[in-house]
Amino acid sequence: MTIKEELIRYSRDCLEDRIPSGEKHQWACARFLKDLGRIDSEGFPYIWSEEKAERIVKWFSYLRHSKGELAKKPIILTTWQKFFLCQIYGWRHKKTGYKRFKKSFVEVARKNAKSQMEAGVALNEISEQATRNGEVYEYYTAGVKRQQSKVIFDECELMLIGSPLKTKFRITRDIIKHKKTGSFIRPLNKEDGKSGDGTNPAGLILDEYHQHPTTDFYDLGLGSATKEPLLMIITTAGKDLTYPCYTEEYSYCSKLLDPGSDVENDEYFVDICEADENDDPDDINTLKKANPIRAFFPAGLQKLQSEWKIAKDIPEKLIAFKTKCLNVWMQAKKNSYMDMSKWKACEVEDLPIDIKGRPVYVGFDMSAKTDLTSVAFIIPYQSGEVDAHGKEIIKYIVFSHSFIPTREKLREHILKDKVPYDSWEQRGYLTVTDTPIVDQGAVMEYVLNECKKHDWKIQTLCFDPANASKLMMDLSNEGYEVEEVFQSQKSLNESTQGFREQVACKNILYLYNPLLNYAMSNAVIRQNNGLIKIDKDATTKRIDPVDAVLCAFKLALYHEFGQDYTDYLNRFLKEMREGTLGAE
């Protein structure tokens, strides 16, 4: 049986559940079969090279296992490993003969030979591939810490012990060099990620990318001046849904695989092996979906089942089990306000209604005047859908924008929070007011301009009176309906609970906003006598956009349609101030 035939059979077995497979891995299998059918078609300049696929399998057989019962034995690739590695090397451009894929993203649970595959590719690239192309290959391994960067490097050294290939390489503490070509593998440190000085990577391996708070290392792999560059990302799911592995790569790659998506990229290989939503970890098939090697031999499966038993009994271990053993992204923050997977499900690419001329509620969080200030716009609308009781469902569209006083403060926040405020400013999510303190006049000018641009009808301007008393008085004198929203459990409980409930029901909609997403993931709650509010003292990370949203939602929640709203709103505000709301 040829490798191509083996992979065709494997893909069909996964698609028909003869081999337990998650949805995204099935999509990867369907993509492979579809691509085979595209050979010789217009717009698909790639062919399958059985010879190249066989060579990489043979290459790994010259290397040696370094751990466990198989230590020192030749590496015989599993079919799942071939599904990845043979596609990287088997797909070729029909004219140049170069590899089709310039990037790869593989996400799989831990202990499924990730380091072994990365190390074997690195050794092959600096020897066979460099020789064939007549180039000196610079190959780099990058983890979030120096020790993590060394994992792949050390695995290369271990796999050469007892290998007939060992004599072809010179190994020192910090570099593995191929004697014939002068090509090398070197682990990167933190400063290399920031500067990248002098690097021209033919290959870059990002190990456990879910731990990387920035794209510094990723960016080193862009624009490489070599014939066949390869950027490899192999990772397990993580616990921070604000990191670029989740917000950028996982999101993009999921869309790339999705047959119902318009995203296409013929030069990017993707495979994601994860348990699906609502899968039962007591079911062996669930474990097999995320563990294409580990769950397919008795000792590995037994270990996974043992870890699941512990996680069931000790809730604190559940998140770790789901991320590391089921390869499911989780938000791990204690007392987290928002289930970020549910929040992400509310993000839309296009709004379902025309927002021009709509009523809008504006929430403000002025914060300290040298810090981040945020505003939020909430537009309630009648969806035309009905709930189980036949009542029309009201949905809410959310917009958010933030302000910071100076570029010095911008740089300070970049260093402190380790998030790209500069990029967010360039993309229009953040404004630098270029004033010693946040210019409240500039904030209000932005709000009024946005409302004028969309012909929004301002219903209420909602403020926490801290840092905003003078502005509130001025706006009230100008004829705007201004309302105080105090930052207490009693004042904000209904808004905080209600907003989260509406998110869970997918009745909140928002366009992509990385700053708002970042803040939402940071928010944690404080409870008192069954009441909750966002706890500003529990985190040093920014939550100001969330405070602004909840401030506006407190009033937007009570919007009524089909009547003169001014009278109703005035009555509601009067009752709220007098403490008689709902007294009837």
Side-chain angles (χ1 to χ4, degrees):
M1 181 188 300
T2 65
I3 290 174
K4 185 171 85 169
E5 290 169 342
E6 181 182 357
L7 297 186
I8 289 173
R9 185 175 70 176
Y10 171 79
S11 297
R12 289 173 177 166
D13 285 345
C14 290
L15 287 167
E16 295 169 16
D17 282 328
R18 286 190 288 271
I19 297 176
S21 303
E23 181 179 52
K24 291 188 176 71
H25 181 59
Q26 289 184 333
W27 289 346
C29 292
R31 184 191 188 199
F32 170 68
L33 296 176
K34 177 184 176 182
D35 286 351
L36 289 177
R38 296 170 67 196
I39 293 176
D40 294 329
S41 66
E42 187 176 353
F44 190 77
Y46 307 105
I47 58 173
W48 177 263
S49 171
E50 187 69 18
E51 184 263 335
K52 298 295 186 186
E54 289 175 349
R55 283 183 71 87
I56 193 63
V57 174
K58 188 174 182 180
W59 170 265
F60 270 84
S61 72
Y62 292 138
L63 300 171
R64 297 293 181 259
H65 285 282
S66 63
K67 302 177 183 71
E69 296 178 3
L70 296 175
K72 299 184 180 180
K73 294 182 179 179
I75 296 174
I76 308 301
L77 296 177
T78 68
T79 303
W80 174 72
Q81 289 176 299
K82 292 178 186 177
F83 182 78
F84 167 41
L85 295 168
C86 292
Q87 287 200 67
I88 294 295
Y89 287 93
W91 283 111
R92 297 280 164 168
H93 194 283
K94 64 173 67 174
K95 290 184 179 179
T96 65
Y98 294 155
K99 294 193 294 291
R100 165 188 170 182
F101 294 114
K102 294 179 172 60
K103 292 171 67 176
S104 70
F105 179 87
V106 174
E107 192 180 288
V108 67
R110 66 178 180 180
K111 304 297 182 183
N112 281 280
K114 294 193 301 295
S115 299
Q116 181 187 89
M117 291 189 290
E118 292 168 317
V121 166
L123 290 169
N124 182 269
E125 289 286 314
I126 68 167
S127 53
E128 277 200 356
Q129 304 305 312
T131 299
R132 184 168 64 85
N133 286 329
E135 293 184 272
V136 176
Y137 269 28
E138 299 177 21
Y139 235 78
Y140 298 99
T141 61
V144 71
K145 295 181 180 178
R146 171 75 172 179
Q147 185 177 0
Q148 184 66 45
S149 294
K150 285 274 288 180
V151 168
I152 307 302
F153 180 89
D154 292 341
E155 185 67 17
C156 289
E157 181 178 358
L158 293 171
M159 288 166 65
L160 288 171
I161 295 175
S163 167
L165 300 173
K166 185 176 181 180
T167 57
K168 299 180 181 294
F169 300 90
R170 181 179 297 111
I171 303 171
T172 60
R173 188 187 68 174
D174 293 318
I175 194 167
I176 296 175
K177 184 171 287 190
H178 183 240
K179 295 176 181 177
K180 180 178 178 181
T181 64
S183 302
F184 61 84
I185 302 169
R186 185 169 73 83
L188 296 175
N189 58 40
K190 188 176 181 180
E191 290 307 311
D192 292 322
K194 291 182 178 179
S195 64
D197 292 341
T199 61
N200 179 33
L204 179 64
I205 296 173
L206 298 182
D207 195 33
E208 298 297 4
Y209 191 44
H210 74 273
Q211 297 176 352
H212 292 232
T214 70
T215 61
D216 286 346
F217 284 121
Y218 181 100
D219 296 341
L220 287 180
L222 304 178
S224 176
T226 58
K227 296 173 184 174
E228 295 185 83
L230 181 59
L231 170 62
M232 291 180 66
I233 302 171
I234 302 188
T235 187
T236 300
K239 303 175 186 178
D240 196 317
L241 276 60
T242 66
Y243 281 8
C245 186
Y246 181 80
T247 61
E248 298 177 18
E249 228 59 28
Y250 176 79
S251 176
Y252 174 78
C253 290
S254 296
K255 292 176 184 177
L256 197 160
L257 289 180
D258 186 350
S261 167
D262 293 333
V263 176
E264 293 184 5
N265 188 337
D266 284 335
E267 295 183 342
Y268 200 158
F269 175 86
V270 177
D271 190 19
I272 299 173
C273 297
E274 63 184 7
D276 291 317
E277 190 175 1
N278 300 322
D279 277 350
D280 181 4
D282 280 318
D283 186 344
I284 291 175
N285 290 338
T286 298
L287 301 176
K288 288 184 175 181
K289 287 181 180 183
N291 296 272
I293 295 180
R294 193 183 185 195
F296 284 80
F297 65 93
L301 181 58
Q302 183 179 6
K303 178 65 173 172
L304 284 167
Q305 291 173 316
S306 174
E307 290 177 357
W308 168 235
K309 185 177 185 303
I310 294 171
K312 281 195 296 184
D313 295 337
I314 306 175
E316 291 79 7
K317 295 185 178 294
L318 186 59
I319 287 178
F321 177 84
K322 287 186 174 181
T323 55
K324 301 306 178 188
C325 298
L326 298 184
N327 197 36
V328 174
W329 285 89
M330 301 287 292
Q331 188 66 27
K333 214 175 262 88
K334 185 179 180 182
N335 296 326
S336 288
Y337 169 54
M338 186 61 67
D339 181 330
M340 289 303 291
S341 63
K342 289 183 170 61
W343 171 250
K344 191 69 176 174
C346 292
E347 183 181 305
V348 295
E349 293 185 5
D350 299 294
L351 297 175
I353 62 168
D354 182 1
I355 59 174
K356 189 174 180 63
R358 298 277 177 171
V360 67
Y361 295 80
V362 188
F364 297 81
D365 185 89
M366 290 301 185
S367 299
K369 293 184 180 180
T370 59
D371 211 334
L372 203 66
T373 283
S374 298
V375 297
F377 305 88
I378 296 185
I379 298 171
Y381 73 96
Q382 296 166 303
S383 68
E385 304 170 19
V386 295
D387 61 19
H389 305 289
K391 185 177 179 181
E392 185 168 20
I393 296 172
I394 306 303
K395 296 194 176 186
Y396 305 86
I397 295 171
V398 176
F399 297 97
S400 173
H401 192 81
S402 295
F403 303 81
I404 204 165
T406 64
R407 300 209 167 272
E408 182 181 355
K409 280 292 178 183
L410 183 77
R411 289 189 291 271
E412 181 182 310
H413 283 322
I414 292 171
L415 294 173
K416 185 177 181 180
D417 299 342
K418 295 182 172 58
V419 291
Y421 287 103
D422 51 351
S423 172
W424 294 342
E425 184 211 1
Q426 292 166 10
R427 290 186 282 167
Y429 304 107
L430 177 69
T431 295
V432 179
T433 61
D434 287 322
T435 50
I437 62 175
V438 170
D439 184 347
Q440 294 186 350
V443 174
M444 273 313 305
E445 183 179 5
Y446 172 85
V447 168
L448 296 177
N449 285 341
E450 285 295 298
C451 292
K452 182 178 179 181
K453 180 171 69 175
H454 300 290
D455 193 26
W456 288 338
K457 314 301 182 188
I458 297 176
Q459 305 298 303
T460 318
L461 300 173
C462 311
F463 290 87
D464 171 6
N467 304 313
S469 297
K470 175 67 166 59
L471 179 61
M472 292 173 67
M473 183 176 66
D474 291 344
L475 290 168
S476 182
N477 290 337
E478 291 176 22
Y480 290 102
E481 191 65 52
V482 179
E483 184 59 30
E484 294 180 338
V485 178
F486 292 97
Q487 299 293 305
S488 66
Q489 266 108 344
K490 183 177 180 180
S491 173
L492 281 173
N493 175 70
E494 185 177 28
S495 176
T496 308
Q497 298 260 30
F499 187 81
R500 185 166 61 181
E501 289 166 3
Q502 295 300 317
V503 167
C505 296
K506 296 186 71 173
N507 292 335
I508 302 294
L509 293 83
Y510 67 95
L511 299 173
Y512 174 70
N513 186 324
L515 179 49
L516 177 59
N517 290 344
Y518 169 69
M520 195 65 71
S521 73
N522 291 335
V524 296
I525 56 173
R526 178 191 297 173
Q527 299 191 45
N528 185 21
N529 295 324
L531 305 178
I532 68 169
K533 68 178 287 287
I534 302 300
D535 189 351
K536 286 190 172 186
D537 299 325
T539 177
T540 59
K541 294 186 177 181
R542 309 298 151 196
I543 58 171
D544 311 85
V546 179
D547 286 333
V549 167
L550 296 180
C551 192
F553 188 71
K554 180 178 175 67
L555 277 294
L557 186 59
Y558 287 96
H559 184 78
E560 286 198 355
F561 300 85
Q563 66 180 41
D564 182 353
Y565 183 65
T566 304
D567 292 340
Y568 169 81
L569 179 62
N570 288 337
R571 187 175 71 252
F572 164 74
L573 294 174
K574 181 175 182 293
E575 291 177 357
M576 189 170 72
R577 292 187 192 104
E578 295 174 352
T580 60
L581 183 64
E584 300 134 9

PDB file of all heavy atoms in Angstrom, residues 359 361 382 459 558-572:
ATOM      1  N   PRO A 359     -32.125  53.822  18.840  1.00  0.00           N
ATOM      2  CA  PRO A 359     -31.876  54.337  20.195  1.00  0.00           C
ATOM      3  C   PRO A 359     -30.580  53.748  20.739  1.00  0.00           C
ATOM      4  O   PRO A 359     -30.251  52.588  20.463  1.00  0.00           O
ATOM      5  CB  PRO A 359     -33.089  53.833  20.985  1.00  0.00           C
ATOM      6  CG  PRO A 359     -33.546  52.614  20.243  1.00  0.00           C
ATOM      7  CD  PRO A 359     -33.271  52.892  18.796  1.00  0.00           C
ATOM      8  N   TYR A 361     -27.776  53.627  24.253  1.00  0.00           N
ATOM      9  CA  TYR A 361     -27.405  53.921  25.638  1.00  0.00           C
ATOM     10  C   TYR A 361     -25.887  53.975  25.690  1.00  0.00           C
ATOM     11  O   TYR A 361     -25.218  53.082  25.152  1.00  0.00           O
ATOM     12  CB  TYR A 361     -27.943  52.856  26.586  1.00  0.00           C
ATOM     13  CG  TYR A 361     -29.455  52.839  26.631  1.00  0.00           C
ATOM     14  CD1 TYR A 361     -30.183  52.207  25.625  1.00  0.00           C
ATOM     15  CD2 TYR A 361     -30.147  53.480  27.649  1.00  0.00           C
ATOM     16  CE1 TYR A 361     -31.567  52.204  25.636  1.00  0.00           C
ATOM     17  CE2 TYR A 361     -31.535  53.479  27.673  1.00  0.00           C
ATOM     18  CZ  TYR A 361     -32.235  52.841  26.665  1.00  0.00           C
ATOM     19  OH  TYR A 361     -33.607  52.857  26.672  1.00  0.00           O
ATOM     20  N   GLN A 382     -35.526  44.804  18.493  1.00  0.00           N
ATOM     21  CA  GLN A 382     -36.455  43.676  18.454  1.00  0.00           C
ATOM     22  C   GLN A 382     -35.998  42.704  17.369  1.00  0.00           C
ATOM     23  O   GLN A 382     -35.886  43.075  16.202  1.00  0.00           O
ATOM     24  CB  GLN A 382     -37.866  44.178  18.186  1.00  0.00           C
ATOM     25  CG  GLN A 382     -38.410  45.066  19.307  1.00  0.00           C
ATOM     26  CD  GLN A 382     -39.649  45.835  18.895  1.00  0.00           C
ATOM     27  OE1 GLN A 382     -39.619  46.573  17.921  1.00  0.00           O
ATOM     28  NE2 GLN A 382     -40.746  45.638  19.639  1.00  0.00           N
ATOM     29  N   GLN A 459     -30.496  57.857  24.510  1.00  0.00           N
ATOM     30  CA  GLN A 459     -31.532  57.700  25.522  1.00  0.00           C
ATOM     31  C   GLN A 459     -31.024  58.134  26.895  1.00  0.00           C
ATOM     32  O   GLN A 459     -31.687  58.883  27.595  1.00  0.00           O
ATOM     33  CB  GLN A 459     -31.975  56.226  25.585  1.00  0.00           C
ATOM     34  CG  GLN A 459     -32.437  55.661  24.254  1.00  0.00           C
ATOM     35  CD  GLN A 459     -33.656  56.372  23.708  1.00  0.00           C
ATOM     36  OE1 GLN A 459     -34.698  56.444  24.359  1.00  0.00           O
ATOM     37  NE2 GLN A 459     -33.535  56.913  22.505  1.00  0.00           N
ATOM     38  N   TYR A 558     -33.876  48.028  30.202  1.00  0.00           N
ATOM     39  CA  TYR A 558     -35.268  48.426  30.445  1.00  0.00           C
ATOM     40  C   TYR A 558     -35.898  49.160  29.260  1.00  0.00           C
ATOM     41  O   TYR A 558     -36.976  49.727  29.387  1.00  0.00           O
ATOM     42  CB  TYR A 558     -35.343  49.308  31.693  1.00  0.00           C
ATOM     43  CG  TYR A 558     -35.154  48.509  32.953  1.00  0.00           C
ATOM     44  CD1 TYR A 558     -33.902  48.420  33.546  1.00  0.00           C
ATOM     45  CD2 TYR A 558     -36.219  47.825  33.525  1.00  0.00           C
ATOM     46  CE1 TYR A 558     -33.711  47.669  34.694  1.00  0.00           C
ATOM     47  CE2 TYR A 558     -36.036  47.076  34.671  1.00  0.00           C
ATOM     48  CZ  TYR A 558     -34.780  47.000  35.251  1.00  0.00           C
ATOM     49  OH  TYR A 558     -34.596  46.250  36.387  1.00  0.00           O
ATOM     50  N   HIS A 559     -35.217  49.133  28.128  1.00  0.00           N
ATOM     51  CA  HIS A 559     -35.748  49.860  26.979  1.00  0.00           C
ATOM     52  C   HIS A 559     -37.077  49.238  26.527  1.00  0.00           C
ATOM     53  O   HIS A 559     -37.219  48.026  26.462  1.00  0.00           O
ATOM     54  CB  HIS A 559     -34.763  49.831  25.815  1.00  0.00           C
ATOM     55  CG  HIS A 559     -35.209  50.644  24.645  1.00  0.00           C
ATOM     56  ND1 HIS A 559     -35.104  52.008  24.615  1.00  0.00           N
ATOM     57  CD2 HIS A 559     -35.791  50.303  23.470  1.00  0.00           C
ATOM     58  CE1 HIS A 559     -35.571  52.467  23.472  1.00  0.00           C
ATOM     59  NE2 HIS A 559     -36.009  51.447  22.759  1.00  0.00           N
ATOM     60  N   GLU A 560     -38.048  50.093  26.235  1.00  0.00           N
ATOM     61  CA  GLU A 560     -39.332  49.635  25.713  1.00  0.00           C
ATOM     62  C   GLU A 560     -39.544  50.198  24.314  1.00  0.00           C
ATOM     63  O   GLU A 560     -39.124  51.307  24.003  1.00  0.00           O
ATOM     64  CB  GLU A 560     -40.483  50.061  26.633  1.00  0.00           C
ATOM     65  CG  GLU A 560     -40.547  49.249  27.915  1.00  0.00           C
ATOM     66  CD  GLU A 560     -41.894  49.365  28.595  1.00  0.00           C
ATOM     67  OE1 GLU A 560     -42.728  50.161  28.110  1.00  0.00           O
ATOM     68  OE2 GLU A 560     -42.097  48.664  29.598  1.00  0.00           O
ATOM     69  N   PHE A 561     -40.208  49.413  23.499  1.00  0.00           N
ATOM     70  CA  PHE A 561     -40.407  49.779  22.107  1.00  0.00           C
ATOM     71  C   PHE A 561     -41.873  50.133  21.864  1.00  0.00           C
ATOM     72  O   PHE A 561     -42.765  49.710  22.596  1.00  0.00           O
ATOM     73  CB  PHE A 561     -40.011  48.613  21.195  1.00  0.00           C
ATOM     74  CG  PHE A 561     -38.576  48.210  21.337  1.00  0.00           C
ATOM     75  CD1 PHE A 561     -38.177  47.325  22.326  1.00  0.00           C
ATOM     76  CD2 PHE A 561     -37.614  48.725  20.486  1.00  0.00           C
ATOM     77  CE1 PHE A 561     -36.851  46.948  22.465  1.00  0.00           C
ATOM     78  CE2 PHE A 561     -36.288  48.359  20.614  1.00  0.00           C
ATOM     79  CZ  PHE A 561     -35.895  47.468  21.611  1.00  0.00           C
ATOM     80  N   GLY A 562     -42.105  50.923  20.807  1.00  0.00           N
ATOM     81  CA  GLY A 562     -43.458  51.150  20.352  1.00  0.00           C
ATOM     82  C   GLY A 562     -44.214  52.196  21.120  1.00  0.00           C
ATOM     83  O   GLY A 562     -45.443  52.224  21.088  1.00  0.00           O
ATOM     84  N   GLN A 563     -43.519  53.050  21.889  1.00  0.00           N
ATOM     85  CA  GLN A 563     -44.202  54.136  22.578  1.00  0.00           C
ATOM     86  C   GLN A 563     -43.220  55.271  22.796  1.00  0.00           C
ATOM     87  O   GLN A 563     -42.031  55.137  22.535  1.00  0.00           O
ATOM     88  CB  GLN A 563     -44.750  53.658  23.922  1.00  0.00           C
ATOM     89  CG  GLN A 563     -43.668  53.268  24.948  1.00  0.00           C
ATOM     90  CD  GLN A 563     -44.268  52.794  26.262  1.00  0.00           C
ATOM     91  OE1 GLN A 563     -45.240  52.068  26.270  1.00  0.00           O
ATOM     92  NE2 GLN A 563     -43.684  53.232  27.348  1.00  0.00           N
ATOM     93  N   ASP A 564     -43.736  56.397  23.246  1.00  0.00           N
ATOM     94  CA  ASP A 564     -42.845  57.513  23.549  1.00  0.00           C
ATOM     95  C   ASP A 564     -42.007  57.123  24.757  1.00  0.00           C
ATOM     96  O   ASP A 564     -42.496  57.065  25.888  1.00  0.00           O
ATOM     97  CB  ASP A 564     -43.667  58.770  23.863  1.00  0.00           C
ATOM     98  CG  ASP A 564     -42.758  59.978  24.128  1.00  0.00           C
ATOM     99  OD1 ASP A 564     -41.528  59.788  24.194  1.00  0.00           O
ATOM    100  OD2 ASP A 564     -43.297  61.085  24.267  1.00  0.00           O
ATOM    101  N   TYR A 565     -40.733  56.846  24.497  1.00  0.00           N
ATOM    102  CA  TYR A 565     -39.903  56.281  25.551  1.00  0.00           C
ATOM    103  C   TYR A 565     -39.512  57.317  26.613  1.00  0.00           C
ATOM    104  O   TYR A 565     -39.217  56.964  27.749  1.00  0.00           O
ATOM    105  CB  TYR A 565     -38.639  55.659  24.949  1.00  0.00           C
ATOM    106  CG  TYR A 565     -37.773  54.994  25.986  1.00  0.00           C
ATOM    107  CD1 TYR A 565     -38.236  53.879  26.675  1.00  0.00           C
ATOM    108  CD2 TYR A 565     -36.522  55.514  26.307  1.00  0.00           C
ATOM    109  CE1 TYR A 565     -37.467  53.282  27.657  1.00  0.00           C
ATOM    110  CE2 TYR A 565     -35.750  54.914  27.281  1.00  0.00           C
ATOM    111  CZ  TYR A 565     -36.233  53.795  27.951  1.00  0.00           C
ATOM    112  OH  TYR A 565     -35.480  53.208  28.911  1.00  0.00           O
ATOM    113  N   THR A 566     -39.535  58.587  26.254  1.00  0.00           N
ATOM    114  CA  THR A 566     -39.054  59.612  27.189  1.00  0.00           C
ATOM    115  C   THR A 566     -39.833  59.582  28.495  1.00  0.00           C
ATOM    116  O   THR A 566     -39.253  59.615  29.593  1.00  0.00           O
ATOM    117  CB  THR A 566     -39.154  60.998  26.546  1.00  0.00           C
ATOM    118  OG1 THR A 566     -38.431  60.988  25.319  1.00  0.00           O
ATOM    119  CG2 THR A 566     -38.573  62.058  27.476  1.00  0.00           C
ATOM    120  N   ASP A 567     -41.165  59.498  28.404  1.00  0.00           N
ATOM    121  CA  ASP A 567     -41.986  59.473  29.618  1.00  0.00           C
ATOM    122  C   ASP A 567     -41.671  58.243  30.466  1.00  0.00           C
ATOM    123  O   ASP A 567     -41.557  58.318  31.688  1.00  0.00           O
ATOM    124  CB  ASP A 567     -43.479  59.485  29.252  1.00  0.00           C
ATOM    125  CG  ASP A 567     -43.887  60.821  28.640  1.00  0.00           C
ATOM    126  OD1 ASP A 567     -43.151  61.810  28.843  1.00  0.00           O
ATOM    127  OD2 ASP A 567     -44.934  60.861  27.957  1.00  0.00           O
ATOM    128  N   TYR A 568     -41.535  57.091  29.766  1.00  0.00           N
ATOM    129  CA  TYR A 568     -41.241  55.855  30.512  1.00  0.00           C
ATOM    130  C   TYR A 568     -39.902  55.945  31.213  1.00  0.00           C
ATOM    131  O   TYR A 568     -39.769  55.590  32.388  1.00  0.00           O
ATOM    132  CB  TYR A 568     -41.246  54.654  29.553  1.00  0.00           C
ATOM    133  CG  TYR A 568     -40.694  53.408  30.198  1.00  0.00           C
ATOM    134  CD1 TYR A 568     -41.481  52.617  31.039  1.00  0.00           C
ATOM    135  CD2 TYR A 568     -39.357  53.048  30.009  1.00  0.00           C
ATOM    136  CE1 TYR A 568     -40.962  51.491  31.651  1.00  0.00           C
ATOM    137  CE2 TYR A 568     -38.837  51.934  30.624  1.00  0.00           C
ATOM    138  CZ  TYR A 568     -39.646  51.153  31.444  1.00  0.00           C
ATOM    139  OH  TYR A 568     -39.122  50.047  32.053  1.00  0.00           O
ATOM    140  N   LEU A 569     -38.902  56.448  30.492  1.00  0.00           N
ATOM    141  CA  LEU A 569     -37.559  56.525  31.068  1.00  0.00           C
ATOM    142  C   LEU A 569     -37.543  57.454  32.275  1.00  0.00           C
ATOM    143  O   LEU A 569     -36.957  57.132  33.315  1.00  0.00           O
ATOM    144  CB  LEU A 569     -36.562  57.009  30.013  1.00  0.00           C
ATOM    145  CG  LEU A 569     -35.108  57.166  30.486  1.00  0.00           C
ATOM    146  CD1 LEU A 569     -34.555  55.825  30.930  1.00  0.00           C
ATOM    147  CD2 LEU A 569     -34.251  57.769  29.394  1.00  0.00           C
ATOM    148  N   ASN A 570     -38.177  58.604  32.153  1.00  0.00           N
ATOM    149  CA  ASN A 570     -38.201  59.537  33.276  1.00  0.00           C
ATOM    150  C   ASN A 570     -38.878  58.912  34.497  1.00  0.00           C
ATOM    151  O   ASN A 570     -38.430  59.094  35.631  1.00  0.00           O
ATOM    152  CB  ASN A 570     -38.940  60.819  32.868  1.00  0.00           C
ATOM    153  CG  ASN A 570     -38.121  61.652  31.893  1.00  0.00           C
ATOM    154  OD1 ASN A 570     -36.899  61.530  31.853  1.00  0.00           O
ATOM    155  ND2 ASN A 570     -38.785  62.490  31.104  1.00  0.00           N
ATOM    156  N   ARG A 571     -39.955  58.164  34.245  1.00  0.00           N
ATOM    157  CA  ARG A 571     -40.651  57.496  35.348  1.00  0.00           C
ATOM    158  C   ARG A 571     -39.762  56.433  35.985  1.00  0.00           C
ATOM    159  O   ARG A 571     -39.678  56.323  37.210  1.00  0.00           O
ATOM    160  CB  ARG A 571     -41.951  56.862  34.840  1.00  0.00           C
ATOM    161  CG  ARG A 571     -42.823  56.290  35.973  1.00  0.00           C
ATOM    162  CD  ARG A 571     -44.162  55.773  35.458  1.00  0.00           C
ATOM    163  NE  ARG A 571     -44.021  54.562  34.692  1.00  0.00           N
ATOM    164  CZ  ARG A 571     -44.159  54.498  33.373  1.00  0.00           C
ATOM    165  NH1 ARG A 571     -44.431  55.584  32.668  1.00  0.00           N
ATOM    166  NH2 ARG A 571     -44.028  53.342  32.743  1.00  0.00           N
ATOM    167  N   PHE A 572     -39.071  55.679  35.123  1.00  0.00           N
ATOM    168  CA  PHE A 572     -38.180  54.629  35.627  1.00  0.00           C
ATOM    169  C   PHE A 572     -37.055  55.215  36.475  1.00  0.00           C
ATOM    170  O   PHE A 572     -36.746  54.731  37.567  1.00  0.00           O
ATOM    171  CB  PHE A 572     -37.601  53.834  34.456  1.00  0.00           C
ATOM    172  CG  PHE A 572     -36.411  52.999  34.831  1.00  0.00           C
ATOM    173  CD1 PHE A 572     -36.560  51.829  35.572  1.00  0.00           C
ATOM    174  CD2 PHE A 572     -35.130  53.397  34.474  1.00  0.00           C
ATOM    175  CE1 PHE A 572     -35.459  51.075  35.922  1.00  0.00           C
ATOM    176  CE2 PHE A 572     -34.034  52.652  34.834  1.00  0.00           C
ATOM    177  CZ  PHE A 572     -34.204  51.474  35.562  1.00  0.00           C
TER     178      PHE A 572
END
